[in-house]
């Protein structure tokens, strides 16, 4: 099996329009395939990462599940400078986040409008030169 990467994550949202606006406004994602699927899902892209945001209650062939679930998903900041810039921008937008030092990486965690946990992480722990 020759697989390259995760193509997209599928999120179910109480308000897919609000989620689209949040992901585009906060993380700078791009809304792609705007004319497809009658708006369900809303498909967003940042680099090679895509999110498919489904409107809760609309038939999408997805059944809600209890128990085992996706805990969070992470975006990569390639440099410490990019990581610090993400922290500054979230602060400027009034979005609270928690910092964690994972020894091999630094991460911040915050929530989208539906409570999905989003992480931004960097493995570049070298001080800026």
């Amino acid at each position: 099996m020759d697989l390259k990467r995760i193509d997209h994550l599928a999120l179910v949202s109480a308000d897919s329009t609000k989620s689209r606006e949040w992901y585009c406004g906060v993380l700078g994602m791009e809304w792609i395939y705007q004319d497809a699927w009658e708006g369900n899902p809303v498909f967003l892209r940042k680099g090679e990462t895509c999110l498919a945001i489904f409107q809760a209650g609309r038939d999408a062939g997805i059944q809600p599940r209890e128990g085992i679930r996706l805990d969070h998903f992470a975006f990569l900041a390639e440099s410490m400078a990019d990581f610090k810039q993400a922290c500054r921008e979230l602060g400027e937008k009034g979005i609270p986040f928690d910092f964690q030092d994972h020894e091999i990486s630094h991460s911040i965690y915050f929530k989208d409008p539906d409570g999905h946990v989003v992480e931004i992480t960097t493995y570049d722990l070298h001080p800026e030169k």
Side-chain angles (χ1 to χ4, degrees):
M1 192 177 303
D2 184 18
L3 305 175
K4 303 296 183 210
R5 60 181 169 80
I6 292 176
D7 180 72
H8 68 275
L9 297 172
L11 303 177
V12 179
S13 173
D15 183 337
S16 60
T17 300
K18 182 177 178 180
S19 291
R20 173 183 48 83
E21 291 169 353
W22 189 88
Y23 279 97
C24 290
V26 172
L27 298 181
M29 295 192 83
E30 172 191 11
W31 183 12
I32 59 175
Y33 309 124
Q34 293 182 28
D35 297 326
W37 312 301
E38 298 179 12
N40 192 46
V42 171
F43 221 78
L44 306 177
R45 175 177 59 207
K46 178 80 172 186
E48 293 186 10
T49 300
C50 292
L51 296 178
I53 302 175
F54 290 86
Q55 177 67 47
R58 289 197 50 197
D59 181 22
I62 298 173
Q63 299 298 318
R65 296 189 177 129
E66 298 293 328
I68 297 173
R69 61 181 171 72
L70 177 71
D71 182 72
H72 69 277
F73 57 96
F75 289 90
L76 175 66
E78 291 197 59
S79 70
M80 182 57 75
D82 292 338
F83 181 79
K84 288 180 178 179
Q85 180 63 31
C87 293
R88 280 191 294 276
E89 288 184 26
L90 288 173
E92 290 167 1
K93 293 175 181 177
I95 297 172
F97 59 86
D98 294 318
F99 171 84
Q100 289 189 15
D101 181 344
H102 298 298
E103 296 181 20
I104 62 163
S105 66
H106 286 173
S107 297
I108 54 174
Y109 297 87
F110 51 100
K111 293 184 179 179
D112 78 0
D114 290 298
H116 297 111
V117 177
V118 181
E119 175 185 1
I120 296 176
T121 192
T122 187
Y123 295 90
D124 178 23
L125 303 184
H126 304 289
E128 294 179 53
K129 296 174 184 171

